[in-house]
Amino acid sequence: MIGRLVSGAAGEVRIRVCGASIERFLNVALQGEIGLWHTVRVDARTIETTLSLSDFYALRRLMGRTGCRVRVIGRRGLPFFVARLRKRWILTGGMCALALVVVLLTQFVWVLEIVAADGIPVSALRDVLRETGIYEGAWLGQIDTDDTRRAIQTKIPEVGVIAITRIGNAVRVEVDAAVPTPNRIDRAAPTGLVATRDGVVSSTAVTGGQLLVQPGDAVEQGQLLVSSAVPNTTEWGEAHRAHGMGRVMAYTSRTVTLLCPLSWTESRATDRMTTRYALTLGDRRINLYLGSGIHTDTCDKITIEKTRLSIGSRLMLPISLVRETCRACDALPVSGTAQEVGDAAAQTWLDRLAQTLDGTILDSRWTIEEEAGAVRVRVTASCEEQIACEMIDRTPLPEKEQEEPAE
């Protein structure tokens, strides 16, 4: 198979042999070690066959002994292609220049894809990549992935795992957020539990430390609920330090004031669509339409599709066709009564509170006041929630009572 490919590149000739002594021609070709393939018998006096260009020149010297005539009916291979191009030197030079340009363009980065987790500033990440030599138009030889990882971790502390993948002349950077280290308190440290909010204690479940409150007691924010100083509990016991742990549930009250307008504007999508095209050459954009662009304030959704010119799936070129599709929207005025707007605002706040509360909402109420085209809503929620929080406690140990000597 490889030999055939090499022979094809060196040049092949398809010939038609006519004469009364076809068998003599075949014998002469065999004796002269001339390779023939794809031989077809056309009739009793004619055959068609293929041979290499070098064998064709050798066969011309032996044709006088065969009594047959040879006619060339086909040529294929690199020598014939070059011979045709020799007469079209402008085309040849253009093809060589194009090949050189393509080879040079594939030595630069033309696709930079950044995939960042939530909370990581993409603009800062792109700046760090540019400083370390990774940007669209950068030479592939200057990229050092190890230096880039170190620079990202140094300048953006929110970054955890970094993956830099290069496929051809496309670079993909994937960044995950660092897992925050929880602020854990040493289990051996003397800690107590303090109240995070004002309330009335409803129940307790303490597994460490000395409980200082009982159900029904009113507590204030910052008040010590469980102490690390545990007094002696037996006749021979001694006071000691403990790690306060547990939960303290309390009845609390949360109040918030909301100010909401009675009229606003909403965007509603329509069936009107606008499609525009543009070409990008590296960082330069060439609009294929009149005007400066699509007005985003009149669009409900803009879909951008980019098709990049490439050689195969690994080599990208800095030429892309951009297709922008915009669905138009209409701005419609919307208004509501004070009661409707106030009820909706209060219910939204209560829903958000229920999602973040370590407990339950027992009751809620709100008042609505209309003023100057807006409504003021005062919402009060009665809750039962966990209010205990661990903190280092340095409460002095109680002194051991001195026993009076027996008389």
Side-chain angles (χ1 to χ4, degrees):
M1 182 65 183
I2 297 178
R4 290 289 308 280
L5 292 176
V6 173
S7 176
E12 295 181 349
V13 179
R14 183 73 175 174
I15 61 174
R16 177 178 296 159
V17 183
C18 301
S21 303
I22 296 298
E23 290 76 7
R24 183 181 300 176
F25 168 81
L26 296 175
N27 290 332
V28 169
L30 180 62
Q31 294 174 2
E33 297 181 355
I34 294 175
L36 304 176
W37 58 87
H38 298 312
T39 302
V40 178
R41 187 98 185 200
V42 178
D43 53 38
R45 298 173 56 89
T46 308
I47 63 171
E48 292 181 358
T49 187
T50 303
L51 67 164
S52 66
L53 183 59
S54 58
D55 286 345
F56 176 75
Y57 290 132
L59 182 63
R60 293 175 60 184
R61 297 191 299 267
L62 305 175
M63 286 303 297
R65 299 161 47 189
T66 63
C68 298
R69 291 179 290 105
V70 175
R71 180 183 177 184
V72 177
I73 60 175
R75 301 176 179 86
R76 185 176 62 179
L78 185 60
F80 304 106
F81 178 73
V82 172
R84 287 195 297 268
L85 291 181
R86 192 180 303 169
K87 301 177 182 179
R88 305 183 179 117
W89 59 271
I90 296 179
L91 177 61
T92 304
M95 293 181 61
C96 293
L98 178 61
L100 180 60
V101 170
V102 170
V103 171
L104 291 177
L105 290 177
T106 55
Q107 302 304 309
F108 296 86
V109 177
W110 296 117
V111 177
L112 176 58
E113 182 180 1
I114 299 178
V115 181
D118 295 337
I120 296 178
V122 178
S123 59
L125 180 59
R126 191 178 295 275
D127 292 340
V128 176
L129 291 174
R130 176 172 287 275
E131 292 175 3
T132 56
I134 300 180
Y135 54 90
E136 292 185 355
W139 180 48
L140 289 172
Q142 71 181 16
I143 296 178
D144 190 331
T145 56
D146 294 335
D147 288 347
T148 302
R149 290 190 184 94
R150 286 192 291 267
I152 293 175
Q153 291 174 340
T154 301
K155 297 184 178 181
I156 307 178
E158 299 91 346
V159 171
V161 181
I162 305 171
I164 302 177
T165 308
R166 202 186 88 183
I167 303 176
N169 60 347
V171 177
R172 178 184 175 91
V173 180
E174 298 179 74
V175 177
D176 286 337
V179 179
T181 303
N183 296 325
R184 297 182 180 274
I185 298 179
D186 186 5
R187 290 298 180 185
T191 60
L193 301 181
V194 298
T196 57
R197 302 185 66 84
D198 298 344
V200 178
V201 177
S202 61
S203 62
T204 61
V206 176
T207 58
Q210 179 66 24
L211 182 63
L212 303 180
V213 295
Q214 298 297 327
D217 293 347
V219 297
E220 297 179 352
Q221 182 178 0
Q223 179 178 337
L224 187 63
L225 306 177
V226 176
S227 174
S228 65
V230 180
N232 55 327
T233 56
T234 64
E235 183 178 356
W236 298 279
E238 295 183 356
H240 62 278
R241 293 285 183 184
H243 185 88
M245 294 183 296
R247 291 171 63 87
V248 177
M249 303 296 294
Y251 298 115
T252 61
S253 179
R254 293 174 180 254
T255 302
V256 67
T257 300
L258 307 173
L259 186 62
C260 307
L262 291 176
S263 60
W264 60 94
T265 302
E266 288 186 355
S267 297
R268 295 187 180 179
T270 64
D271 294 332
R272 300 192 305 272
M273 304 287 291
T274 302
T275 303
R276 296 177 178 177
Y277 295 89
L279 280 177
T280 57
L281 304 176
D283 296 334
R284 182 178 177 81
R285 176 187 172 102
I286 302 175
N287 295 331
L288 304 181
Y289 52 86
L290 299 177
S292 59
I294 297 176
H295 298 288
T296 57
D297 55 348
T298 61
C299 290
D300 175 66
K301 183 179 180 181
I302 298 178
T303 303
I304 300 178
E305 300 177 3
K306 180 179 289 188
T307 303
R308 183 174 292 273
L309 183 62
S310 63
I311 302 176
S313 60
R314 299 174 63 88
L315 298 178
M316 304 294 176
L317 298 179
I319 304 174
S320 300
L321 176 64
V322 181
R323 181 176 184 266
E324 297 175 345
T325 303
C326 169
R327 181 185 295 275
C329 65
D330 293 334
L332 301 178
V334 181
S335 62
T337 64
Q339 189 67 39
E340 293 173 346
V341 174
D343 291 345
Q347 192 59 51
T348 300
W349 181 81
L350 290 172
D351 292 342
R352 293 177 180 175
L353 176 62
Q355 295 175 358
T356 58
L357 188 67
D358 187 6
T360 57
I361 300 176
L362 302 178
D363 186 25
S364 61
R365 57 190 180 278
W366 56 86
T367 59
I368 301 174
E369 298 179 2
E370 185 176 352
E371 55 180 42
V375 62
R376 186 181 298 275
V377 187
R378 182 178 176 84
V379 188
T380 301
S382 299
C383 311
E384 183 181 15
E385 59 180 303
Q386 203 282 122
I387 63 170
C389 176
E390 285 189 25
M391 290 189 67
I392 298 295
D393 179 29
R394 300 297 183 185
T395 303
L397 291 174
E399 296 182 359
K400 185 176 182 180
E401 298 181 0
Q402 299 291 332
E403 297 182 359
E404 295 181 359
E407 295 181 355

